[in-house]
Amino acid sequence: MTAPGVAYDRRVELQAFENTKAGVKGLVDAGITTIPAMFRHPPESLEGITSPSDNVAAIPTLDLSAARRDDAVALVRHAARTVGFFQVVNHGVPADRSSWPACSRRSVVTDYGEAVTKVVLCVLELLSECLGLSSDHLREMGCAHSLNVACQYYPPCPEPHLTLGHKRHTDEGFLTVLLPDGMPGLQVLVDRSGAGGTWVDVPHVPGALMINIGDLLQLVSNDQFRSAEHRVLANKSKDTARVSVASFFNTDMSRSTLYRPITNGHNPPIYPFQKKKTPRSTGVTAQEFMATFMSIGFDGRLLDYYRLEQDPPTPHV
């Protein structure tokens, strides 16, 4: 806490925190009972964190081993166009991390990466068919050429009502696959029409992988798919950390492939690059797209920059 009469400088506190090299876990290990001011969020960004949502049906679950092809395409189409999130079961990936072999960490990550890539290639086939394209279209576009895996650690928070584990954001790539540990916390913004949407808890489905659409996939789908805003609540547990594994799928960043909306000659492009001051008038490379994301960060919607006749991205809280 800042002493009375002393001006608070968030940059100074952040730098001091960085200098400890201990991270958030260091704060927890030190036994803090209040969170530092730098982690507190404004009240408007915390709306809905204490009110449990009852719209769990908004996040559908697909059984990859049992669903008929037409049914699978229909379910994925509905999820991708409305909420941008869905879960898959019977996917062939060891979802119980306690069952992973006790071998080298590199081997475990490699094996997991290969298994989850197979799932993503299957999902890309379904998404291609959702767009009326051949099943290999999105795969051949390179939507899963690159994979980055991140382990996300959320320790118990002494004041979870004052902060977030991760502020609201969208993922900038093509697809994200999340392997959760069963603890609640992930929320998705649904029903954006009207009052601006409702934060919905993503329910725990035993053995499921969570999949969500990224910004670049929304762009190439010409907004037929939705990159949903989502956030992570602070961990309300008293003694157990929440740990998840996120797999971010993107194209090969070294390539100069131009990405543009798929219109099939029926719907006009929502992202007409010729109307924007971009290096190229016919599309955007992944490098350019990511550079724009880095300049905006999590304080605005990346797609707003490329959308037809839009002002610069509007920051949100």
Side-chain angles (χ1 to χ4, degrees):
M1 299 293 291
T2 303
V6 177
Y8 171 64
D9 191 328
R10 187 172 188 272
R11 289 176 297 178
V12 172
E13 188 176 20
L14 279 171
Q15 188 58 58
F17 174 71
E18 287 291 329
N19 291 342
T20 68
K21 307 298 183 184
V24 174
K25 187 176 186 302
L27 296 177
V28 176
D29 292 343
I32 63 168
T33 57
T34 60
I35 61 173
M38 62 181 174
F39 291 128
R40 298 188 179 214
H41 287 253
E44 57 269 24
S45 71
L46 301 174
E47 180 182 356
I49 66 170
T50 59
S51 301
S53 61
D54 57 3
N55 195 17
V56 295
I59 315 295
T61 299
L62 171 64
D63 187 340
L64 289 178
S65 70
R68 293 174 53 249
R69 188 71 174 189
D70 290 347
D71 293 339
V73 171
L75 184 148
V76 170
R77 179 187 296 113
H78 176 74
R81 288 182 174 179
T82 55
V83 68
F85 264 76
F86 56 95
Q87 306 197 64
V88 294
V89 296
N90 291 323
H91 40 66
V93 178
D96 181 2
R97 280 167 287 185
S98 65
S99 68
W100 289 3
C103 53
S104 71
R105 185 175 303 173
R106 180 181 298 273
S107 175
V108 171
V109 173
T110 299
D111 291 346
Y112 176 76
E114 292 175 351
V116 79
T117 297
K118 292 180 180 179
V119 175
V120 164
L121 292 177
C122 175
V123 170
L124 286 174
E125 289 186 357
L126 297 173
L127 289 167
S128 294
E129 294 177 32
C130 291
L131 295 173
L133 305 169
S134 62
S135 61
D136 63 350
H137 190 96
L138 293 175
R139 184 187 70 232
E140 293 300 315
M141 283 179 58
C143 297
H145 280 177
S146 171
L147 167 61
N148 290 310
V149 178
C151 185
Q152 300 165 323
Y153 171 81
Y154 304 96
C157 178
E159 295 180 304
H161 60 291
L162 297 178
T163 189
L164 291 168
H166 198 307
K167 66 187 298 185
R168 63 189 289 177
H169 65 286
T170 57
D171 295 341
E172 70 276 11
F174 281 99
L175 282 176
T176 300
V177 180
L178 187 73
L179 172 62
D181 64 358
M183 293 186 65
L186 179 63
Q187 290 189 327
V188 181
L189 189 63
V190 301
D191 298 328
R192 291 178 57 84
S193 60
T198 301
W199 288 106
V200 171
D201 298 313
V202 178
H204 172 58
V205 177
L209 296 173
M210 300 175 184
I211 299 179
N212 65 278
I213 306 295
D215 289 338
L216 201 46
L217 186 52
Q218 178 172 331
L219 184 147
V220 300
S221 76
N222 203 32
D223 276 10
Q224 294 189 66
F225 299 154
R226 177 187 166 208
S227 177
E229 288 186 272
H230 50 287
R231 67 183 182 184
V232 182
L233 303 185
N235 186 354
K236 299 178 183 179
S237 172
K238 299 296 183 182
D239 54 12
T240 304
R242 183 196 305 128
V243 180
S244 60
V245 180
S247 300
F248 301 97
F249 285 87
N250 212 331
T251 188
D252 185 344
M253 299 298 290
S254 66
R255 296 187 177 185
S256 57
T257 303
L258 290 175
Y259 290 97
R260 60 181 67 87
I262 298 171
T263 64
N264 294 332
H266 302 299
N267 47 335
I270 297 173
Y271 305 93
F273 292 94
Q274 67 273 16
K275 293 183 180 292
K276 306 298 290 187
K277 295 179 180 179
T278 54
R280 296 176 177 84
S281 63
T282 57
V284 61
T285 67
Q287 298 96 319
E288 293 162 354
F289 196 76
M290 296 305 151
T292 304
F293 167 74
M294 294 301 293
S295 68
I296 296 172
F298 294 122
D299 292 324
R301 289 298 305 267
L302 174 58
L303 290 173
D304 288 349
Y305 179 84
Y306 295 100
R307 201 179 302 275
L308 173 62
E309 297 177 354
Q310 288 286 337
D311 294 326
T314 302
H316 48 50
V317 294

